[in-house]
């Protein structure tokens, strides 16, 4: 298949003034000595981590040993407790997130609905695509909704897997996706297809008159303070809505934290809480691994806790564990010979260990 294709704490100590004036050098020496003595007697200055050090070291080593891992980031209750790169990679470098970009496209659709640009998930996609819809298509295309595309329930033959190469080689990706035969009814079983997400990218462009890149920068990048570089476009200039987007792992962590905080981060409202709830509601089930699927998010249970994740080919992964106030980002080689379900199992074992290690962590933060 093509896809899934320490904080320094400053202390202030009052210095008793001498009746005889000190020289500047003497004062500085006294202040340094006083602060050193104070630090030596205050072990509580070292902030307690919600992640035991042995677990932290074990998680880093586990990730390092995975055959194609590039980076690992973990945040717990808003604190980044792991920020590691492997094989020459770093968390501030852009990574091809492959199908994890479908999760970003879903967020953009939610932002468009929040703004009234798209009416609702029930709006037919043909209304948004307008003249981009080819003539003489199967009438059932008129029944495909925005929500059907988000949950991979369009019913059309997949453009992923063995069909992917021919689809991206076609002269019109939108027409090719819409002209494919129906193999299920709209709203039926899950048929994972990158063409579905690309139709949403085209719909966003048509509805706003702006490129998907521009919308992503305005609606996600700007409020979350991360950069979004240009990525692949189709022959008509529509940005690829489901593959090849580039983001840094640090940006992915911010995006995940925003979802964990019900659509806001650091006082900035990015998405409505209603959209987060809709995105994480199970709507169908993945043929690949049996996990539930919502709007651009897979839904599973690890170590007895509900987990929501985005998944890109090769091991580009974003996990959110609300019960542990935890967000995990893993990036990996995006060009392996296979998608690697075994690799996903290895990463999920790592996330499961992190969940178990924080079982006794009492999170009192907001939006937990």
């Amino acid at each position: 298949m093509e896809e899934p294709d320490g904080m320094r704490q400053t202390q202030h100590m009052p210095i008793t003034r001498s009746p005889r004036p000190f020289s500047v050098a003497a004062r500085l020496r006294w202040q340094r000595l006083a602060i050193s003595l104070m630090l030596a007697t205050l072990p509580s200055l070292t902030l307690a981590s919600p992640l035991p050090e042995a677990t932290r070291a074990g998680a880093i080593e586990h990730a390092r040993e995975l055959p194609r891992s590039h980076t690992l980031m973990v945040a717990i209750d808003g604190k980044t407790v792991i920020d590691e790169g492997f094989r020459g990679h770093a968390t501030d470098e852009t990574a091809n997130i492959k199908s994890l970009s479908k999760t970003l496209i879903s967020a953009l659709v939610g932002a468009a609905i929040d703004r009234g640009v798209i009416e609702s998930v029930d709006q037919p996609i043909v209304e948004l695509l307008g003249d981009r819809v080819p003539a003489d298509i199967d009438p059932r295309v008129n029944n495909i909704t925005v929500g059907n595309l988000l949950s991979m329930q369009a019913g059309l033959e997949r453009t992923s897997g063995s069909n992917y190469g021919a689809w991206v080689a076609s002269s019109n990706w939108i027409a090719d996706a819409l002209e494919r035969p129906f193999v299920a009814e709209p709203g039926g079983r899950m048929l994972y297809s990158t063409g579905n997400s690309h139709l949403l990218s085209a719909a966003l462009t048509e509805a706003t008159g702006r490129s998907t890149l521009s919308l992503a920068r305005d609606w996600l990048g700007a409020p979350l303070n991360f950069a979004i570089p240009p990525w692949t476009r189709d022959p008509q200039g529509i940005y690829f809505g489901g593959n090849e987007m580039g983001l840094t792992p640090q940006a992915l962590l911010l995006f995940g934290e925003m979802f964990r905080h019900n659509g806001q981060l650091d006082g900035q409202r990015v998405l409505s809480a209603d959209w987060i709830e809709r995105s994480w509601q199970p709507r169908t089930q993945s043929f690949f691994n049996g996990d539930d699927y919502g709007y651009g998010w897979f839904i599973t249970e690890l170590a007895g806790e509900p987990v929501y994740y985005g998944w890109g080919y090769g091991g580009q992964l974003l996990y959110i564990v609300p019960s542990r106030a935890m967000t995990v980002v893993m990036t990996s080689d995006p060009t392996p010979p296979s998608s690697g379900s075994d690799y996903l199992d290895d990463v999920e074992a790592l996330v499961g260990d992190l969940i178990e290690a924080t079982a006794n962590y009492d999170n009192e933060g907001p939006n937990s």
Side-chain angles (χ1 to χ4, degrees), residues 59-80:
I60 293 171
E61 188 59 28
H62 185 166
R64 191 190 313 277
E65 291 175 351
L66 292 177
R68 53 180 189 258
S69 60
H70 284 182
T71 67
L72 174 66
M73 294 193 74
V74 179
I76 299 177
D77 198 18
K79 303 176 182 70
T80 301

Side-chain angles (χ1 to χ4, degrees), residues 30-358:
W30 168 249
Q31 288 172 344
R32 285 196 295 268
L33 175 61
I35 291 172
S36 297
L37 290 171
M38 181 182 63
L39 292 175
T41 58
L42 290 178
S44 61
L45 287 175
T46 300
L47 297 180
S49 170
L51 189 65
E53 180 55 34
T55 303
R56 179 183 180 278
I60 293 171
E61 188 59 28
H62 185 166
R64 191 190 313 277
E65 291 175 351
L66 292 177
R68 53 180 189 258
S69 60
H70 284 182
T71 67
L72 174 66
M73 294 193 74
V74 179
I76 299 177
D77 198 18
K79 303 176 182 70
T80 301
V81 296
I82 296 178
D83 184 337
E84 292 289 327
F86 315 108
R87 298 170 175 83
H89 296 274
T91 61
D92 61 353
E93 296 174 351
T94 300
N96 185 340
I97 65 171
K98 306 299 286 186
S99 264
L100 182 49
S101 56
K102 291 177 174 64
T103 308
L104 276 290
I105 292 294
S106 174
L108 290 178
V109 171
I113 292 174
D114 289 343
R115 289 165 170 77
V117 174
I118 294 176
E119 291 177 6
S120 72
V121 292
D122 298 320
Q123 186 170 9
I125 192 64
V126 295
E127 291 183 4
L128 294 164
L129 293 176
D131 293 341
R132 294 186 183 274
V133 179
D136 301 324
I137 56 171
D138 189 312
R140 284 176 290 180
V141 170
N142 295 307
N143 299 327
I144 298 174
T145 65
V146 169
N148 293 155
L149 296 174
L150 287 168
S151 59
M152 299 293 172
Q153 294 174 285
L156 294 166
E157 179 185 70
R158 301 170 62 223
T159 62
S160 294
S162 60
N163 299 326
Y164 180 77
W167 176 58
V168 295
S170 70
S171 61
N172 189 319
W173 298 3
I174 296 165
D176 185 281
L178 290 172
E179 290 172 339
R180 288 180 176 266
F182 277 87
V183 294
E185 291 300 312
R189 62 189 175 93
M190 181 181 184
L191 293 162
Y192 187 93
S193 178
T194 299
N196 291 346
S197 296
H198 190 63
L199 291 174
L200 292 170
S201 179
L204 287 165
T205 297
E206 283 294 312
T208 63
R210 300 171 59 189
S211 71
T212 307
L213 170 63
S214 175
L215 297 175
R217 285 174 168 173
D218 188 15
W219 294 351
L220 297 177
L224 293 174
N225 195 30
F226 61 74
I228 303 177
W231 69 97
T232 306
R233 289 188 283 178
D234 74 5
Q236 283 67 50
I238 301 295
Y239 277 91
F240 204 162
N243 199 358
E244 304 297 333
M245 182 184 285
L247 287 177
T248 67
Q250 292 177 3
L252 287 171
L253 191 75
L254 289 169
F255 176 79
E257 282 286 278
M258 178 269 292
F259 260 79
R260 186 179 71 79
H261 283 271
N262 293 319
Q264 62 182 342
L265 191 65
D266 297 331
Q268 282 268 49
R269 171 62 63 182
V270 181
L271 295 170
S272 65
D274 177 69
W275 184 253
I276 308 303
E277 182 180 356
R278 285 169 171 261
S279 299
W280 287 353
Q281 179 180 340
R283 300 177 187 279
T284 185
Q285 195 171 63
S286 169
F287 170 80
F288 301 115
N289 60 10
D291 286 347
D292 289 331
Y293 193 73
Y295 287 160
W297 290 87
F298 291 88
I299 303 160
T300 190
E301 185 177 289
L302 298 175
E305 300 296 335
V307 175
Y308 308 91
Y309 69 100
W311 181 14
Y313 183 77
Q316 324 315 317
L317 291 154
L318 169 63
Y319 291 91
I320 300 177
V321 190
S323 64
R324 294 290 184 268
M326 182 187 299
T327 301
V328 179
V329 173
M330 167 72 81
T331 62
S332 310
D333 179 3
T335 59
S338 66
S339 62
S341 294
D342 290 343
Y343 189 84
L344 177 68
D345 291 342
D346 288 338
V347 177
E348 291 197 341
L350 186 157
V351 176
D353 289 344
L354 291 170
I355 292 172
E356 290 178 347
T358 56

